[in-house]
Amino acid sequence: MARVNNYLIHVQQAKARFTTYDQETLIAKLKLRHDEEYLYAVMLSETYRIHRQSGEIGRLTETGWVNTNDYGEVMTLLDLVCDCREDRFLTGRWKNMTDFGLMFHRNLLEGKKDPWAEKFQAQPEAFRSACEALGGISFPQGDIAYAIELFDGLSILVQLWFGDEEFPACLRFLWDENALMYIKYETMYFAKGLLLQEIEKRM
């Protein structure tokens, strides 16, 4: 019996859902660059294109367009393009990611030991450089903190707090308090994972 790849199934479902949307509405809502075949968008400083008939996603690399089925990329980009509100706006006031959801989600976001935080603490200058390569703006919070634009002006503020003998290193993720006008709460998890992946790739 063939093994079912649930992640790939979700990716294909998201692409199919995209094709049901009125693309002229999406273009107007987000002022997307477009042509007869593709819509174009920027996410985490990367340029993407979405095939208008199939929902297939490509990312622009130094050697040209490369198709991607990466779960985080597809789910985050398509949710942002399809579901952000037309009347969205930012307040400039930050809110901890844990405060957007239910109390039981706190354990998913801020555990006792975070291997990502430990990795970044061990290489602080590489972490800084990676955040800056993503267009991050330094903030005077935590030991190292950067606001990194995700999409259409919406940024994620990632704070690294160094650990010591008593407390482990930890990461905190903050969003504009109006973030849910841009992105669904569940999609914040995809975006958080994608951001960590992009930071690691640049370290």
Side-chain angles (χ1 to χ4, degrees):
M1 181 176 177
R3 184 177 179 181
V4 176
N5 186 329
N6 287 325
Y7 289 106
L8 186 57
I9 289 172
H10 291 156
V11 162
Q12 296 305 323
Q13 288 173 342
K15 292 176 181 178
R17 184 171 68 95
F18 163 79
T19 65
T20 68
Y21 281 76
D22 182 328
Q23 293 180 15
E24 295 307 317
T25 299
L26 299 181
I27 290 167
K29 178 178 69 170
L30 290 162
K31 299 180 175 59
L32 295 176
R33 186 165 62 89
H34 60 282
D35 55 35
E36 291 185 359
E37 285 193 85
Y38 296 98
L39 305 185
Y40 299 86
V42 176
M43 182 175 69
L44 287 176
S45 299
E46 300 279 4
T47 299
Y48 291 86
R49 68 182 185 183
I50 309 170
H51 192 265
R52 300 179 69 161
Q53 297 299 316
S54 68
E56 290 295 318
I57 292 177
R59 176 167 31 85
L60 185 61
T61 70
E62 292 180 354
T63 58
W65 291 101
V66 176
N67 285 343
T68 179
N69 281 308
D70 179 87
Y71 186 73
E73 282 181 299
V74 173
M75 302 302 288
T76 304
L77 180 62
L78 292 184
D79 279 358
L80 284 162
V81 168
C82 294
D83 296 328
C84 69
R85 286 169 44 174
E86 188 171 359
D87 63 346
R88 67 198 179 280
F89 67 95
L90 300 171
T91 68
R93 294 185 291 271
W94 296 102
K95 182 176 176 180
N96 196 313
M97 184 169 166
T98 57
D99 295 331
F100 285 95
L102 300 174
M103 289 296 293
F104 70 84
H105 288 138
R106 291 180 183 273
N107 290 335
L108 298 176
L109 288 167
E110 296 186 5
K112 292 183 179 180
K113 193 171 184 180
D114 185 341
W116 284 105
E118 292 182 340
K119 177 182 179 68
F120 297 155
Q121 175 176 293
Q123 304 176 64
E125 292 311 312
F127 176 68
R128 289 182 196 275
S129 296
C131 290
E132 290 171 4
L134 285 164
I137 299 173
S138 179
F139 268 65
Q141 301 176 11
D143 290 292
I144 304 175
Y146 283 88
I148 299 171
E149 184 175 356
L150 173 66
F151 181 85
D152 191 43
L154 177 67
S155 293
I156 307 173
L157 177 55
V158 55
Q159 298 175 343
L160 172 62
W161 299 80
F162 292 159
D164 55 26
E165 294 79 7
E166 294 186 57
F167 301 100
C170 72
L171 287 168
R172 293 198 177 99
F173 299 86
L174 290 84
W175 300 74
D176 187 274
E177 64 181 2
N178 274 359
L180 295 182
M181 299 178 78
Y182 291 74
I183 190 170
K184 292 184 293 190
Y185 175 65
E186 294 80 4
T187 310
M188 288 180 171
Y189 287 92
F190 303 146
K192 169 179 169 273
L194 180 60
L195 175 59
L196 290 171
Q197 176 181 310
E198 291 298 314
I199 290 172
E200 181 181 44
K201 187 164 69 177
R202 289 165 173 77
M203 285 179 64

